[in-house]
Amino acid sequence: MAKENTGSVVIVEDLNSMKLRGIITERDVIRALANRLPLDTPVGKVGTMGPRVVRARVDDPISAVASLMVNYRVRHVIVVDENDVVVGVISIRDLLGDLEAVREVARLDRYPKVRE
């Protein structure tokens, strides 16, 4: 992750099929280190695997991705096709450049209003 300057790594079944298996993020690694897990701990025990992975379909609107991020409190959503084949990843950083997505998140009203 440090070498590639990325906050997450998508785990696939194999590079030929690109079928989604899971994701491991910087937060997962930090949590594992804080819990003093050995460095040879399998990725599957540290990352998010299987159906718990937050994903969107290729034709989902960006507002749906923003909603997923807010609802599941994640910073990365994996984009898959109809066969669960990975085609990309959208990060919160990607969304910040999309003003309409930011407005959609603001409309979700998931956080309490600040009193003045």
Side-chain angles (χ1 to χ4, degrees):
M1 287 177 174
K3 180 181 172 188
E4 297 297 326
N5 193 29
T6 186
S8 66
V9 174
V10 176
I11 303 160
V12 294
E13 195 165 303
D14 60 64
L15 293 178
N16 291 324
S17 73
M18 291 298 287
K19 185 133 174 109
L20 179 62
R21 294 281 311 274
I23 184 171
I24 186 165
T25 67
E26 288 173 319
R27 281 178 157 180
D28 296 326
V29 173
I30 290 169
R31 193 175 298 118
L33 293 172
N35 289 325
R36 300 189 185 278
L37 292 179
L39 293 178
D40 61 352
T41 301
V43 171
K45 293 196 181 286
V46 177
T48 302
M49 305 299 288
R52 293 182 30 232
V53 177
V54 179
R55 67 194 85 195
R57 299 284 179 209
V58 175
D59 55 353
D60 286 346
I62 199 67
S63 59
V65 174
S67 295
L68 287 169
M69 287 181 175
V70 170
N71 291 335
Y72 289 96
R73 295 181 175 209
V74 297
R75 295 186 234 178
H76 301 89
V77 173
I78 301 173
V79 180
V80 296
D81 68 10
E82 62 279 353
N83 298 313
D84 230 20
V85 172
V86 176
V87 295
V89 177
I90 298 177
S91 73
I92 189 70
R93 197 173 322 171
D94 298 324
L95 288 186
L96 290 176
D98 185 329
L99 185 57
E100 193 54 42
V102 173
R103 287 185 179 133
E104 177 67 22
V105 171
R107 283 193 289 267
L108 292 174
D109 198 28
R110 297 258 313 153
Y111 301 101
K113 300 287 186 229
V114 177
R115 292 186 184 159
E116 296 186 30

